[in-house]
Amino acid sequence: MSNETPRGNNFDHWLDSYAARANTLSVSEVRALFAVVSRPEVVSLAGGMPFVSALPRELMEASFDSMMSERGNYALQYGGGQGDQRLRDQIREIMALEGIHASVEDIVITTGSQQGLDLLGGLFLDAGDVVLAESPSYVGALGIFRHYEAHVEHLDTDDSGLNPDALEESIKQLKAEGRRIKFLYLVPNFGNPSGVTLTEERRHRIVEICRREHILILEDNPYGLLYFGEKPPVAMRSYEEDCVIYLGSFSKILAPGLRVGYVLAPPAIRDKLVLANESALLSPSTFTQMLISEYLEKSDWQGQIDTFRDIYRERRDAALGAMQEYLPHLGTTRPDGGFYLWVTLPEGIDSKAMLPLAVTELVAYTPGTAFFANGGGQQNLRISFCYPTPENINLGIKRLATVINRQTELLETFGN
Amino acid sequence: MIPGLKKGQQLRILILAGGISHERDISLKSGRRVADALTDAGATVTFHEPDEHLFEYISKEKPDLIWPTLHGASGEDGSLRDILALTGVPFVGATADGARLAWDKSIAKILVQRAGIQTPASLTLPRETFRELNADSVLAQVAKHMTFPLVVKPARSGSAQGVTIVEDPAHLNRAMIDAYVYCDVAIIEKFVTGTELAISVINEGAGTIALPAVEIESTTGRFGYDERVVAGDTNYYVPARLEQGILEKAAKIAIKAHEELGLRHLSRVDLIVDASGVAWFLEANVAPGLTETSLLPQAIVATGATLAQVYLGIAEAAKAGRG
């Protein structure tokens, strides 16, 4: 072994060979947790895993059987880069539930909406471009923006969603600095990680601002159909076709293992997305597209979404009830749908540093720092209520309270 | 199977990996790498979690040997090793007492110091001290009598978690809080500027030997948990870029610390060599990482030996009660 050259972290012999953008890849705050949450003793309030056990197996088996008997050869073959036309037609019906009326020609199927985001990043982002985002914002999107070396500017966000005044102010300032703003990225319904929903009034103002300033809105909406009471406001794409790119997914309303999402984009962008999709994948999985298409065709999929809503509503109630019981002094969002609570800790507690201690107390969560590109979120954590049972949610939050109270006592000792 | 390595065919080895710890994934990766090497050496390897079924499994399967690759308190504080000893099945690594002594850095420092090894001056302060004597007054005394920079770290914790280098007395308060997150006892230690070395020590039954020192160079000035485990801001050099005479002295210190603490078949001793060539003991790791990027296996590879050869040697020594 030579001692002439630094070997770099991981003793990597190819350290000098990587493209510069490989340095933008970093380990997710959540990933190290995946191993520990597999222990049954640990209550995981960390990952946003849909409760797929509530999806009757016979529904998927029936879809599989009919797909294989009726379209088996097609399902096992390569497909087109835009995705299966029948499924795209069915996606139109799903989007209509959120107020969107679109042409089947403008839909592109992707390998999860995550791949849709990646394709858009590759098409639009040059190093140094600015992406505007909520505070906090979805960790998976932040990873993509970082990979394309974009700068993420987090904007003030409150219980009504992203603040349009902050958006205007930020655009003004960034443009004065000569920065190039490419996207406003939003999860407007039951956001990940905040659980907050953008109000209708703010949606209209945001669309108006972005149209005027020539900024594309990425409207990422995986949770919109998982509302617990009233429906959220209609999608921004329903009243603005040219400056909104809409992303949807089957991961939360069906199953994430199928890895099927979709993008609805203006025709010129759609063309480039199809080319990019073909370049990256040749085609998204025909097999899982066909399976979903059969499921949508032959089962009561809206009834199944109702079932999911009931389950998640009960779990949301369990989480809020436990927060009230064990940690009543902490601020938390009160989501009307989706998977998450966003909790604000007492000042001085670092959620990332506290995590190993929480794991030893048999509870896991996601530190708030995962959801900021600028190091923010230390004083926050995300609780996912989608997967554990209500009883385990209560137990997990009780354990979390023990850890937080211990930290609070420590801070008091040191006068913080 | 590596040609010529038939000896291990008779060995049935149970690897203990996983556990409930933030370092669970590292433990599982270590376990799988050890399993790969031992399988190459012809041993029959099985895995188990340290869980409610473990002792029933050991009793039923009666392995020849247990190799724990567990990190964090359960794998390193001696408690599990005490219970493993009750099963009568030999195991690799420190005895329970050895693990207990090394796991608590404040105790390890006292023991190696008594053996003539230099270790940076330090204070060991339980959290209660600050409650009784008032935090501000205790920290004022520290700031008055100790020279900055200082290192604040939990007395019992792994992977550099909760470690802060404090340059300014005003930041001591926060550093104490960060250390107490991991353990109720914290060490405030004089910071020694120099070259950081990790020296892995092994015993294959024919005596304790030190492997080539790995030099650790942090390009950010930090070497915390992220830099150690996941990020890319650290450079390693094998062998270290120091004079041979200094490296030989450091190796002797590592061997002495390993033996003094009773760490038996394997450990990793962390040292800092200052500008005058003096090696200062920082800590000894009872369960060093054994993943593909960990320092101990990299040091083995640097000797020209294979992991299969060395791990089999360690396993056979442990089974025979040597080392």
Side-chain angles (χ1 to χ4, degrees):
Chain A
M1 278 202 163
S2 162
N3 66 350
E4 296 299 317
T5 314
R7 306 302 307 279
N9 173 275
N10 291 354
F11 293 88
D12 190 343
H13 295 261
W14 304 101
L15 193 68
D16 298 330
S17 300
Y18 291 107
R21 68 180 164 282
N23 292 327
T24 64
L25 298 169
S26 64
V27 173
S28 152
E29 316 253 346
V30 192
R31 202 176 108 183
L33 288 168
F34 285 164
V36 79
V37 299
S38 65
R39 284 283 299 228
E41 303 91 331
V42 177
V43 174
S44 175
L45 305 172
M49 294 187 300
F51 188 63
V52 291
S53 303
L55 182 66
R57 289 289 167 270
E58 55 272 21
L59 277 185
M60 294 313 291
E61 283 164 10
S63 301
F64 176 82
D65 288 345
S66 67
M67 172 188 78
M68 289 309 290
S69 64
E70 293 168 25
R71 308 172 79 197
N73 283 343
Y74 184 33
L76 295 169
Q77 192 51 271
Y78 291 113
Q82 190 167 0
D84 178 65
Q85 187 177 328
R86 187 173 84 156
L87 180 61
R88 283 188 280 131
D89 213 25
Q90 291 162 320
I91 287 169
R92 285 177 67 211
E93 293 172 33
I94 296 172
M95 291 195 297
L97 297 174
E98 313 232 27
I100 298 171
H101 299 286
S103 163
V104 71
E105 285 303 303
D106 293 336
I107 298 167
V108 181
I109 297 194
T110 54
T111 304
S113 62
Q114 185 76 8
Q115 194 225 348
L117 273 174
D118 185 59
L119 293 176
L120 289 163
L123 286 177
F124 284 96
L125 295 176
D126 288 316
D129 285 347
V130 175
V131 177
L132 305 172
E134 295 151 291
S135 302
S137 187
Y138 167 52
V139 60
L142 295 179
I144 285 169
F145 302 146
R146 184 169 55 241
H147 184 60
Y148 289 106
E149 302 175 69
H151 167 80
V152 175
E153 188 74 19
H154 289 283
L155 305 178
D156 177 49
T157 306
D158 57 27
D159 287 346
S160 302
L162 186 133
N163 181 347
D165 293 336
L167 173 64
E168 273 195 306
E169 184 57 36
S170 182
I171 292 170
K172 191 174 155 191
Q173 194 175 331
L174 287 161
K175 286 197 168 175
E177 291 168 9
R179 310 290 297 274
R180 198 162 52 162
I181 305 168
K182 288 289 177 64
F183 296 142
L184 167 64
Y185 172 76
L186 292 166
V187 183
N189 296 323
F190 323 122
N192 178 3
S194 68
V196 161
T197 295
L198 185 64
T199 61
E200 186 168 6
E201 184 259 333
R202 285 190 176 187
R203 288 178 197 229
H204 283 280
R205 274 200 65 200
I206 286 169
V207 166
E208 183 192 319
I209 293 166
C210 288
R211 191 192 294 133
R212 188 181 71 222
E213 300 289 346
H214 194 62
I215 294 169
L216 276 169
I217 297 172
L218 303 189
E219 183 176 24
D220 192 358
N221 185 27
Y223 307 102
L225 293 177
L226 297 175
Y227 50 86
F228 303 149
E230 285 184 18
K231 276 181 157 186
V234 294
M236 288 179 280
R237 173 58 178 74
S238 67
Y239 43 82
E240 172 55 52
E241 294 184 10
D242 193 46
C243 87
V244 176
I245 299 176
Y246 181 89
L247 296 111
S249 173
F250 287 99
S251 293
K252 311 298 189 291
I253 59 168
L254 181 53
L258 298 168
R259 308 306 305 129
V260 175
Y262 47 93
V263 182
L264 172 64
I269 295 175
R270 182 268 340 265
D271 281 348
K272 289 209 162 33
L273 275 171
V274 173
L275 292 173
N277 212 11
E278 287 171 350
S279 169
L281 299 173
L282 296 183
S283 69
S285 164
T286 318
F287 191 88
T288 53
Q289 287 181 76
M290 296 294 96
L291 186 62
I292 292 173
S293 183
E294 286 297 312
Y295 168 80
L296 294 173
E297 178 75 22
K298 300 200 169 131
S299 67
D300 177 16
W301 61 272
Q302 295 204 47
Q304 182 58 39
I305 292 176
D306 288 340
T307 302
F308 281 133
R309 276 193 207 112
D310 290 342
I311 289 168
Y312 296 138
R313 184 190 300 108
E314 186 188 14
R315 292 174 185 203
R316 185 274 316 262
D317 291 344
L320 287 175
M323 287 300 294
Q324 182 59 37
E325 184 177 357
Y326 304 118
L327 291 163
H329 54 294
L330 296 193
T332 179
T333 52
R334 305 184 69 81
D336 296 319
F339 286 3
Y340 310 109
L341 301 187
W342 182 246
V343 177
T344 303
L345 298 169
E347 200 175 335
I349 295 184
D350 180 338
S351 63
K352 189 176 170 188
M354 188 175 75
L355 184 57
L357 185 65
V359 168
T360 61
E361 292 291 332
L362 306 180
V363 60
Y365 59 82
T366 309
T369 45
F371 306 100
F372 285 85
N374 59 8
Q378 287 185 330
Q379 208 188 318
N380 298 96
L381 56 86
R382 186 189 75 179
I383 287 178
S384 304
F385 53 77
C386 45
Y387 195 77
T389 61
E391 295 73 26
N392 274 342
I393 289 169
N394 187 284
L395 179 62
I397 291 177
K398 187 178 179 184
R399 289 172 179 169
L400 185 60
T402 306
V403 178
I404 292 172
N405 291 337
R406 185 169 180 268
Q407 294 300 292
T408 306
E409 194 189 315
L410 182 57
L411 289 169
E412 284 167 3
T413 302
F414 284 89
N416 282 57
Chain B
M1 176 70 179
I2 294 175
L5 278 177
K6 304 279 186 193
K7 286 193 302 179
Q9 272 178 329
Q10 306 304 316
L11 273 180
R12 292 163 56 251
I13 300 173
L14 169 63
I15 292 182
L16 282 186
I20 301 170
S21 139
H22 192 58
E23 297 170 87
R24 174 183 169 81
D25 55 337
I26 310 282
S27 166
L28 291 168
K29 282 182 190 169
S30 289
R32 284 193 286 267
R33 288 291 171 178
V34 172
D36 288 346
L38 290 169
T39 305
D40 280 349
T44 303
V45 180
T46 53
F47 272 92
H48 212 286
E49 283 271 348
D51 62 15
E52 58 184 316
H53 306 296
L54 174 64
F55 296 109
E56 185 189 334
Y57 181 86
I58 292 173
S59 165
K60 190 173 157 205
E61 297 297 325
K62 297 185 175 53
D64 297 319
L65 180 70
I66 298 171
W67 188 316
T69 63
L70 296 162
H71 301 303
S74 72
E76 299 186 62
D77 69 1
S79 49
L80 179 72
R81 288 162 199 265
D82 252 338
I83 304 169
L84 287 181
L86 295 177
T87 68
V89 179
F91 58 89
V92 167
T95 60
D97 287 350
R100 205 161 279 128
L101 296 174
W103 174 241
D104 190 319
K105 297 180 184 78
S106 64
I107 293 172
K109 278 168 71 79
I110 293 169
L111 288 175
V112 300
Q113 201 164 23
R114 283 182 183 167
I117 295 170
Q118 304 216 55
T119 181
S122 64
L123 292 176
T124 301
L125 297 174
R127 197 174 141 181
E128 289 74 26
T129 308
F130 288 88
R131 245 189 245 143
E132 282 173 15
L133 300 176
N134 180 279
D136 288 345
S137 68
V138 172
L139 293 181
Q141 287 300 309
V142 171
K144 187 175 170 187
H145 296 288
M146 292 186 80
T147 310
F148 286 76
L150 298 170
V151 182
V152 177
K153 55 188 174 186
R156 298 182 294 272
S157 180
S159 293
Q161 287 174 321
V163 179
T164 311
I165 297 170
V166 183
E167 309 267 357
D168 181 341
H171 299 152
L172 201 49
N173 189 300
R174 182 71 228 182
M176 298 308 301
I177 293 169
D178 291 344
Y180 286 129
V181 167
Y182 296 94
C183 173
D184 282 339
V185 181
I187 297 173
I188 304 175
E189 188 177 66
K190 182 173 179 261
F191 178 77
V192 177
T193 306
T195 304
E196 185 164 351
L197 298 182
I199 302 184
S200 298
V201 180
I202 60 169
N203 189 330
E204 297 175 80
T208 309
I209 59 166
L211 297 171
V214 180
E215 178 185 341
I216 300 161
E217 179 190 57
S218 166
T219 55
T220 61
R222 300 187 306 269
F223 196 55
Y225 177 79
D226 284 352
E227 289 75 21
R228 202 170 276 240
V229 178
V230 293
D233 295 330
T234 305
N235 290 325
Y236 301 117
Y237 300 83
V238 195
R241 302 167 301 172
L242 292 172
E243 287 172 24
Q244 193 54 34
I246 291 174
L247 289 176
E248 282 170 12
K249 273 191 210 163
K252 281 183 186 162
I253 288 169
I255 290 171
K256 195 168 188 181
H258 173 100
E259 291 182 335
E260 200 64 35
L261 295 168
L263 301 182
R264 299 206 300 179
H265 311 107
L266 78 170
S267 73
R268 198 193 71 232
V269 177
D270 294 343
L271 304 168
I272 286 210
V273 179
D274 68 18
S276 62
V278 174
W280 300 79
F281 172 91
L282 298 180
E283 63 181 275
N285 297 276
V286 174
L290 299 173
T291 72
E292 66 279 14
T293 59
S294 297
L295 305 184
L296 190 149
Q298 289 294 333
I300 291 173
V301 171
T303 67
T306 66
L307 298 182
Q309 286 169 326
V310 174
Y311 289 172
L312 180 61
I314 287 173
E316 289 184 331
K319 182 170 183 294
R322 300 193 305 270

